[in-house]
Amino acid sequence: WRKYIEHVGLSGHTAKSATRSIVADTWSGRLLSLTLLHEPFHGVHHLRAGLPHTELPRHAALLVPTVEGEVAPFPNYRSALLDLLRNLSDPRSGSHWPDPKTKSIL
């Protein structure tokens, strides 16, 4: 489920528009992130692929959207899962899919 939550239904062409990141503010959310080797900071993982997992949370500010179409970090896996479920009718993943509004590849 984690890999589906991180990518399915997103067709952006940047790390912040093609991934769902989770930046939890509860102790249980931070513990879950740690047990998943901080992979919930998924956009950071794509932006700074060489960072050790322990460094990913320190770069959470990189996840703030700066252009239209980028996905803001979710506060927990539940909200990211709900977003995934809303997008399951069109399970695209990645920028190689055409934009449904323009029918052109992003």
Side-chain angles (χ1 to χ4, degrees), residues 22-84:
I22 293 97
V23 178
D25 57 1
T26 63
W27 70 267
S28 58
R30 290 190 299 271
L31 178 62
L32 177 62
S33 179
L34 176 64
T35 65
L36 295 172
L37 302 179
H38 294 101
E39 202 61 23
F41 291 88
H42 204 66
V44 176
H45 160 76
H46 282 276
L47 290 166
R48 302 282 193 267
L51 285 176
H53 78 89
T54 55
E55 294 290 320
L56 297 177
R58 294 185 185 132
H59 298 272
L62 294 172
L63 298 172
V64 175
T66 55
V67 298
E68 185 179 344
E70 292 182 337
V71 180
F74 291 87
N76 52 53
Y77 260 103
R78 183 179 339 116
S79 58
L81 175 63
L82 290 173
D83 187 65
L84 163 69

